[in-house]
């Protein structure tokens, strides 16, 4: 160990020892010595600003809790060294990967006994995306943001097939859940477009996995909520990228017609189809003008009051058609043919045209506007549900036309997906029907807002929605799940639970990884009571 490394080791160990004395941590001296002595390619830090930066997330629903240390890795081996140290330590201290910190309920947190692996850190040199145009794939670091993957692949005229609405999310983060947007009806979620992974298991082993190699781990990690390994590399399928997008919104007053049209559109195959199908619910006139407002001109806002509706709820279908400049003469005709069979309100067609990259990055523009008004870093009590097609009408009556009233504080997305585009071998959980809907209530809580915008009101509304579904026997599944009891987690995974638990025992037997999900109990956390809003499962 050279002089510089020795100094760094002593500083880190001294700082952690001070922390132990101050707050009574449960990690012993041998663990500290092991952590401090690791020769990382990146760097380990206990600096207060680094600890604070990873102590909360986008949801801002949990009290900030600083970890023991933060690792900024430069390689998969860095991650493996840390996890191996945890695996052989007496207390098996928790380790959790953090991408862009966009979790809602503290899923990337480790508590004060653990180490956060900050996968996306600007000062740490990690592998650049490697595009293989001939083989039509791109290899990316697990902490890479999707927006940077897009930029790199576009240099070759290529792009991934399936997206999320927001691109400032890490590759490893979305693949640990599913990764969905309006392209999922055709290409499936992002986890259906992965060719190969490098994963650091809970034993600290770097394992390459795919359909042909370590298949069980490959499918388990995809949608596995970080329980079996940390994704350090993903090989993503890509395709030729279009140049432009025709972006269309139309309104409906009939939920039946709205859903019938959405279901018809996602049934189309071949060249003559829309490339993106989403929608949202309008229970508040201001919503359509304020959310993703770059779509509409501020000089020509949509007047909901001018559109006839049954009650107070309207539904907006959002569709796009991708094209190249060379196809500009035929794009109008193709769209006209597709639109003829739809039953929207004739006077409610709103269209814009933009570059492909600008469409994919559309939500970031809304983010910048919210940040300028100090409305981004606020609590986000989001609720994302997969609702079976057979019960979506009941959900509309009970929630959109019932519980929500006529006020909301954020967009409410709704769009259908085809189950046959999801690989059932993955850990992701969907309803047991061939077609199901995402309903995403993406609300923001405002401390000084109206009563209906306050955090406790919105959290109570989420609770009422879940209670309604249970009482009405609507078998919803949470996307980006958060459950409070072991029984709820078992119910969530259903038939997949036994396999899920078996994979945990094989690849993370000491329950080191992703303890913030609170699915399995980590031994170093057992001396501390669970938070008031949730309890830890212990199998």
């Amino acid at each position: 160990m050279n002089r510089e490394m020795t100094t760094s080791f002593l500083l880190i160990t001294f700082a952690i020892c001070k922390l132990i004395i101050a707050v009574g941590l449960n990690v012993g001296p041998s663990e500290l010595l092991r952590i401090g002595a690791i020769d990382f390619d990146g760097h380990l830090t206990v600096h207060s600003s680094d600890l604070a930066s990873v102590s909360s997330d986008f949801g801002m629903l949990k009290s900030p809790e600083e970890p023991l240390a933060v690792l900024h890795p430069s390689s998969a081996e860095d991650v493996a060294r840390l996890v191996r140290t945890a695996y052989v330590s007496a207390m098996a201290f928790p380790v959790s990967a953090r991408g862009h910190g966009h979790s809602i309920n503290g899923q990337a947190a480790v508590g004060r006994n653990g180490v956060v692996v900050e996968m996306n850190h600007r000062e740490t040199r990690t592998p650049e995306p490697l595009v293989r145009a001939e083989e039509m794939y791109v290899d990316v670091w697990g902490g890479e943001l999707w927006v940077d993957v897009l930029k790199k692949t576009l240099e070759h005229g290529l792009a991934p097939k399936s997206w999320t609405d927001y691109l400032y999310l890490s590759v490893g983060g979305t693949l640990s859940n599913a990764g969905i947007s309006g392209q999922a009806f055709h290409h499936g979620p992002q986890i259906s477009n992965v060719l190969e992974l490098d994963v650091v298991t809970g034993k600290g082993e770097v394992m390459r996995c795919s359909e042909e190699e370590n298949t069980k781990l490959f499918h388990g990690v995809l949608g596995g909520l970080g329980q079996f390994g940390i994704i350090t590399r993903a090989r993503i399928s890509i395709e030729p990228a279009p140049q432009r997008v025709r972006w269309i919104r139309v309104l409906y007053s009939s939920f039946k017609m709205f859903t019938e049209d959405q279901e018809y559109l996602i049934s189309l195959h071949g060249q003559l189809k829309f490339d993106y199908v989403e929608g949202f619910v309008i229970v508040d006139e201001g919503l359509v003008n304020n959310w993703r407002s770059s779509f509409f001109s501020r000089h020509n806002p949509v007047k909901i009051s001018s559109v006839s509706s049954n009650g107070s709820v309207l539904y907006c279908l959002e569709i796009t058609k991708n094209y190249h400049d060379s196809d500009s003469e035929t794009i109008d005709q193709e769209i006209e043919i597709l639109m003829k069979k739809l039953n929207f309100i004739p006077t409610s067609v709103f269209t814009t045209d933009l570059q492909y990259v600008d469409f994919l990055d559309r939500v970031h523009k809304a983010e910048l506007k919210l940040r300028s008004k100090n409305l981004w870093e606020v609590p986000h009590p989001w609720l994302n549900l997969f609702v079976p097609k057979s019960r979506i009408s009941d959900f509309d009556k009970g929630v959109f036309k019932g519980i929500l009233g006529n006020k909301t504080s954020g967009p409410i997305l709704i769009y259908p997906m085809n189950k046959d585009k999801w690989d059932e071998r993955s850990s992701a959980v969907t309803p047991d029907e061939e077609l199901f809907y995402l309903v995403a209530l993406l609300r923001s809580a405002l401390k000084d807002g109206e009563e209906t915008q306050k955090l406790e009101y919105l959290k109570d509304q989420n609770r009422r929605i879940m209670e309604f579904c249970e009482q009405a026997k609507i078998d919803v599944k949470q996307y980006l799940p958060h459950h409070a009891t072991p029984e709820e987690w078992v119910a969530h995974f259903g038939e997949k639970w036994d396999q899920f638990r078996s994979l945990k025992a094989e690849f993370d037997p000491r329950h080191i990884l992703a303890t913030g999900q609170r699915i399995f109990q980590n031994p170093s956390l057992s001396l501390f009571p669970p938070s008031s809003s949730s309890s830890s499962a212990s199998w």
Side-chain angles (χ1 to χ4, degrees):
M1 188 179 291
N2 62 36
R3 188 174 204 174
E4 184 179 340
M5 289 169 57
T6 302
T7 301
S8 176
F9 164 66
L10 291 174
L11 287 172
I12 289 172
T13 304
F14 176 69
I16 296 178
C17 286
K18 284 178 65 179
L19 195 58
I20 278 192
I21 294 169
V23 300
L25 295 181
N26 195 34
V27 175
S30 60
E31 281 80 4
L32 297 179
L33 292 172
R34 286 193 181 100
I35 298 172
I38 301 173
D39 183 13
F40 291 113
D41 297 324
H43 66 278
L44 187 78
T45 175
V46 293
H47 194 280
S48 58
S49 62
D50 290 310
L51 300 181
S53 69
V54 301
S55 64
S56 61
D57 60 17
F58 178 73
M60 295 180 65
L61 302 179
K62 303 288 184 182
S63 299
E65 189 172 28
E66 294 184 355
L68 188 68
V70 178
L71 173 65
H72 302 306
S74 286
S75 62
E77 188 54 37
D78 269 358
V79 180
R81 290 181 186 117
L82 176 65
V83 177
R84 279 198 298 269
T85 302
Y87 182 63
V88 301
S89 70
M91 293 307 300
F93 59 86
V95 175
S96 186
R98 175 187 169 96
H100 199 51
H102 215 264
S103 57
I104 302 300
N105 289 285
Q107 287 94 333
V110 290
R112 55 184 181 174
N113 274 341
V115 179
V116 170
V117 182
E118 192 169 27
M119 297 291 288
N120 180 257
H121 192 260
R122 293 177 182 177
E123 296 178 8
T124 305
R125 187 173 297 175
T126 52
E128 290 284 326
L130 179 62
V131 179
R132 296 293 191 187
E134 300 82 6
E135 291 86 0
M136 297 299 282
Y137 69 74
V138 56
D139 280 333
V140 296
W141 171 249
E144 198 76 48
L145 299 185
W146 282 102
V147 66
D148 296 319
V149 177
L150 174 63
K151 291 175 182 176
K152 193 68 175 180
T153 55
L154 283 177
E155 292 176 5
H156 302 263
L158 303 168
K161 301 173 183 177
S162 190
W163 295 97
T164 54
D165 285 338
Y166 181 60
L167 299 186
Y168 288 75
L169 303 173
S170 69
V171 170
T174 65
L175 297 185
S176 295
N177 288 280
I180 55 175
S181 185
Q183 304 90 359
F185 79 92
H186 179 57
H187 292 295
Q190 289 180 321
I191 58 173
S192 293
N193 294 274
V194 179
L195 305 175
E196 187 177 273
L197 297 171
D198 284 347
V199 174
V200 175
T201 71
K203 297 177 181 180
E205 301 170 324
V206 182
M207 298 183 68
R208 182 153 297 175
C209 52
S210 65
E211 284 281 7
E212 293 78 31
E213 183 179 6
N214 296 311
T215 306
K216 186 166 55 173
L217 178 62
F218 177 69
H219 293 296
V221 166
L222 295 172
L225 306 179
Q227 294 301 302
F228 317 125
I230 295 173
I231 297 171
T232 56
R233 181 186 65 91
R235 179 166 291 179
I236 310 296
S237 179
I238 54 180
E239 66 179 358
Q243 294 172 310
R244 301 197 64 80
V245 170
R246 185 67 55 83
W247 186 7
I248 304 163
R249 285 178 176 173
V250 293
L251 298 177
Y252 293 75
S253 58
S254 164
F255 185 72
K256 183 174 183 294
M257 290 183 178
F258 169 69
T259 53
E260 284 178 351
D261 281 359
Q262 281 194 320
E263 291 168 19
Y264 162 71
L265 290 175
I266 72 165
S267 73
L268 299 178
H269 302 286
Q271 189 66 27
L272 193 60
K273 67 178 184 308
F274 284 113
D275 297 289
Y276 162 101
V277 177
E278 283 199 15
F280 54 92
V281 182
I282 304 169
V283 298
D284 182 338
E285 179 172 347
L287 173 63
V288 75
N289 292 313
N290 291 332
W291 180 60
R292 295 181 180 174
S293 53
S294 60
F295 182 91
F296 298 109
S297 166
R298 59 189 177 87
H299 302 296
N300 184 30
V302 180
K303 295 295 184 183
I304 300 300
S305 57
S306 67
V307 180
S308 174
S309 64
N310 297 323
S312 59
V313 181
L314 286 168
Y315 310 94
C316 181
L317 172 65
E318 185 174 54
I319 44 184
T320 71
K321 184 69 177 168
N322 301 336
Y323 69 100
H324 292 273
D325 290 333
S326 59
D327 301 324
S328 58
E329 294 183 3
T330 60
I331 186 68
D332 290 333
Q333 183 181 358
E334 290 180 20
I335 290 174
E336 183 180 356
I337 292 171
L338 287 166
M339 298 283 283
K340 274 184 178 179
K341 294 188 177 181
L342 305 183
N343 296 293
F344 53 86
I345 299 169
T347 58
S348 70
V349 181
F350 304 93
T351 303
T352 191
D353 200 279
L354 68 171
Q355 292 185 358
Y356 181 63
V357 64
D358 292 331
F359 172 74
L360 291 180
D361 201 27
R362 63 200 179 281
V363 178
H364 182 54
K365 294 179 181 179
E367 174 193 350
L368 295 177
K369 291 181 180 179
L370 291 172
R371 284 189 182 278
S372 70
K373 299 176 182 178
N374 295 318
L375 295 175
W376 183 258
E377 293 182 0
V378 298
H380 296 93
W382 287 8
L383 181 63
N384 295 271
L385 301 173
F386 289 149
V387 183
K389 170 193 169 180
S390 64
R391 304 302 304 277
I392 194 64
S393 178
D394 297 322
F395 191 94
D396 169 59
K397 293 171 185 173
V399 178
F400 301 150
K401 294 188 176 82
I403 293 172
L404 293 183
N406 62 356
K407 288 287 183 181
T408 186
S409 60
I412 304 168
L413 305 187
I414 174 172
Y415 57 90
M417 286 175 277
N418 296 307
K419 192 179 181 74
D420 64 4
K421 297 296 182 179
W422 294 62
D423 193 323
E424 279 300 293
R425 295 171 296 176
S426 79
S427 294
V429 177
T430 60
D432 191 23
E433 291 190 10
E434 289 307 306
L435 194 151
F436 59 91
Y437 280 79
L438 169 74
V439 176
L441 295 99
L442 310 180
R443 284 94 65 80
S444 302
L446 304 178
K447 186 177 181 180
D448 299 322
E450 299 176 13
E451 182 64 26
T452 56
Q453 296 175 314
K454 293 184 177 178
L455 179 59
E456 290 308 313
Y457 180 91
L458 295 172
K459 289 169 67 175
D460 181 67
Q461 201 171 66
N462 287 346
R463 179 190 57 78
R464 290 168 56 204
I465 291 170
M466 295 306 296
E467 285 183 352
F468 164 76
C469 291
E470 183 177 1
Q471 292 168 4
K473 293 183 168 46
I474 302 175
D475 187 19
V476 298
K477 295 292 184 182
Q478 285 191 35
Y479 177 59
L480 311 178
H482 171 65
H483 293 292
T485 68
E487 293 76 18
E488 288 176 356
W489 277 113
V490 173
H492 170 79
F493 284 105
E495 293 180 354
K496 292 190 176 185
W497 172 249
D498 287 342
Q499 173 74 359
F500 195 84
R501 183 170 59 173
S502 174
L503 289 172
K504 187 70 171 180
E506 181 175 354
F507 294 108
D508 185 22
R510 300 198 71 189
H511 301 175
I512 289 168
L513 302 176
T515 55
Q517 296 280 2
R518 295 185 176 271
I519 304 173
F520 301 96
Q521 178 72 60
N522 175 275
S524 75
L525 303 177
S526 60
L527 299 184
F528 300 98
S531 66
S532 59
S533 61
S534 63
S535 61
S536 298
S538 56
W539 289 280

